Amino acid sequence: MNVVKVLVAAPLHEKAIEVLKNAGFEVVYEEYPNEEMLIELVGDVEAIIVRSKPKVTRKVIEAAPKLKVIGRAGVGLDNIDIEAAKEKGIKVVNSPAASSRSVAELTIALIFAVARKIAFADRKMREGVWAKKQSMGIELEGKTIGIVGFGRIGYNVAKIAKALGMNVLLYDPYPNEERAKEVGGKFVSLEELLKESDVITIHVPLIDATYHLINEERLKLMKPTAILINAARGAVIDTDALVKALQEGWIAGAGLDVFEEEPLPKDHPLTKLDNVVLTPHIGASTVEAQMRAGVQVAEQIVEILKG
Ligand code: NAD
């Protein structure tokens, strides 16, 4: 009997490799091969696993006559030619829920970091400055959090916010009332959410309707004491308007994990602002999220190839 070969073309958690091996598959590992090398490697494989790299192009797909499934450990399928895969009847699977809790926890971490000026105070300590007076913060208990986009991540943020004793406002064009009830949340209009919230956090996909959803006009609706968090996609916020809002005090601060341009250019105006906490798109960067992403994709591949 022919052994089923699976090409793992990106770092994958060992538990995911175990899932493939336990299914009796032969695992070929090559970290981020270029297109030429990938074409050489896919000749006899039935599945390929990638992350945000390498690119699975039409050429690669056409060089893989036995290929039945492409797995993306994580979210986003921009590096896979979906159309070419579809034409050949090749399934594409991913693990969009694997990092939801991790992104939600980073969101909460950013809220605390801004509310308690943790990054600012830490920077000052390293400069030898005991900035006790300038580091006055706010408590979260009893404050209102406005969650824009109540999907997987928004729901996880809401669960933690509820546990912190925050009031939860929600905005989503497709409201899930049952889940809202579970977290004690209330659906309101975007305008009301922006006006009433002490913390506003964005968890929408980047689509035409959400490009620059948070613009100058909407930033002006927020309280001057409000904190804005974005761990979704950079372009959901108009960065120039946000810089202005932070410089001119329309809002109090921001916590950002994602940017319109990534990596964030050195010396970007955001890096000059003390009321902003910046992280380099690390929402899904946890041991647990990476393990889940790998295992979920490996399990789907086993099911497809064995089913
Ligand atoms: P999801 O699809 O589960 O939820 C998105 C929600 O947004 C849905 O409920 C949808 O109805 C809602 N929505 C759509 N259009 C909207 C609009 N115009 N206004 C308000 N809500 C709208 O997605 P998710 O898994 O929760 O991911 C949310 C975001 O987080 C995505 O942008 C994703 O790319 C991003 N993300 C970031 C990281 C990171 O590392 N920072 C990691 C994973 C995902």
Side-chain angles (χ1 to χ4, degrees), residues 75 99 103 148-154 171-174 203-207 210 231-233 257-258 281 283-284:
V75 215
S99 63
V103 182
V148 181
F150 189 53
R152 288 178 290 256
I153 297 170
Y171 171 70
D172 196 303
Y174 308 99
H203 301 290
V204 298
L206 177 61
I207 48 174
T210 59
R233 284 292 178 266
D257 184 48
V258 290
H281 204 145

Side-chain angles (χ1 to χ4, degrees), residues 20-21 35 44 63 73 99 116 138 152-153 159 165 187 224 240 266 269:
L20 299 169
K21 286 190 174 162
E35 190 180 42
D44 58 351
S99 63
R116 299 306 303 269
I138 57 159
R152 288 178 290 256
I153 297 170
K159 281 199 291 188
F187 282 106
D240 293 340
K266 198 169 175 279

Side-chain angles (χ1 to χ4, degrees), residues 155 243 265 303:
Y155 167 65
V243 168
E303 206 177 301

Side-chain angles (χ1 to χ4, degrees), residues 219-227 241-253 273 275:
L219 283 160
K220 282 184 171 157
L221 294 176
M222 298 178 196
K223 296 182 187 180
T225 50
I227 292 170
L242 176 63
V243 168
K244 223 161 117 187
L246 290 162
Q247 283 169 341
E248 296 178 10
W250 313 349
I251 64 172
L273 296 165
N275 51 351

Side-chain angles (χ1 to χ4, degrees), residues 3-234:
V3 178
V4 172
K5 259 190 175 180
V6 176
L7 173 65
V8 176
L12 200 69
H13 197 281
E14 59 189 48
K15 283 209 174 151
I17 305 273
E18 238 176 74
V19 169
L20 299 169
K21 286 190 174 162
N22 287 345
F25 300 163
E26 182 184 334
V27 176
V28 180
Y29 182 73
E30 183 66 42
E31 186 173 322
Y32 300 136
N34 61 24
E35 190 180 42
E36 199 185 329
M37 194 162 184
L38 199 49
I39 287 171
E40 264 177 43
L41 288 167
V42 295
D44 58 351
V45 306
E46 295 187 33
I48 307 175
I49 300 184
V50 297
R51 286 170 54 163
S52 59
K53 288 189 299 184
K55 279 200 173 109
V56 184
T57 59
R58 177 175 289 274
K59 267 192 183 166
V60 171
I61 289 169
E62 282 172 355
K66 291 172 86 177
L67 188 61
K68 294 193 183 76
V69 52
I70 301 167
R72 154 73 160 109
V75 215
L77 299 171
D78 356 329
N79 56 320
I80 298 165
D81 191 330
I82 304 286
E83 205 42 55
K86 213 166 152 192
E87 281 169 30
K88 299 255 172 203
I90 295 164
K91 292 202 167 90
V92 178
V93 296
N94 67 348
S95 47
S99 63
S100 305
R101 178 70 192 194
S102 290
V103 182
E105 289 192 8
L106 181 77
T107 299
I108 300 293
L110 287 171
I111 297 171
F112 274 119
V114 179
R116 299 306 303 269
K117 301 190 167 70
I118 292 172
F120 166 78
D122 178 78
R123 274 195 303 276
K124 290 290 160 199
M125 293 285 281
R126 287 158 203 267
E127 288 168 19
V129 180
W130 190 257
K132 191 174 166 88
K133 252 192 189 163
Q134 298 138 273
S135 303
M136 182 66 75
I138 57 159
E139 278 184 357
L140 297 183
E141 187 176 35
K143 299 288 190 306
T144 297
I145 187 169
I147 298 174
V148 181
F150 189 53
R152 288 178 290 256
I153 297 170
Y155 167 65
N156 274 283
V157 170
K159 281 199 291 188
I160 306 171
K162 184 189 179 204
L164 290 170
M166 301 184 82
N167 307 313
V168 179
L169 294 181
L170 306 166
Y171 171 70
D172 196 303
Y174 308 99
N176 184 332
E177 294 288 355
E178 205 177 303
R179 287 200 146 181
K181 212 168 150 195
E182 197 188 313
V183 297
K186 183 176 146 203
F187 282 106
V188 294
S189 68
L190 181 57
E191 185 172 282
E192 189 179 342
L193 180 146
L194 298 174
K195 281 184 179 164
E196 300 300 325
S197 301
D198 301 297
V199 176
I200 291 140
T201 183
I202 311 296
H203 301 290
V204 298
L206 177 61
I207 48 174
D208 286 346
T210 59
Y211 177 81
H212 285 190
L213 179 74
I214 304 300
N215 54 17
E216 189 164 324
E217 190 189 328
R218 294 199 166 114
L219 283 160
K220 282 184 171 157
L221 294 176
M222 298 178 196
K223 296 182 187 180
T225 50
I227 292 170
L228 176 64
I229 305 294
N230 188 10
R233 284 292 178 266

Side-chain angles (χ1 to χ4, degrees), residues 235-287:
V236 176
I237 299 181
D238 177 344
T239 310
D240 293 340
L242 176 63
V243 168
K244 223 161 117 187
L246 290 162
Q247 283 169 341
E248 296 178 10
W250 313 349
I251 64 172
L256 308 170
D257 184 48
V258 290
F259 305 89
E260 289 201 71
E261 193 185 343
E262 293 185 8
L264 184 69
K266 198 169 175 279
D267 295 327
H268 189 279
L270 284 169
T271 65
K272 312 289 178 215
L273 296 165
D274 269 337
N275 51 351
V276 181
V277 177
L278 308 167
T279 51
H281 204 145
I282 54 169
S285 301
T286 64
V287 174

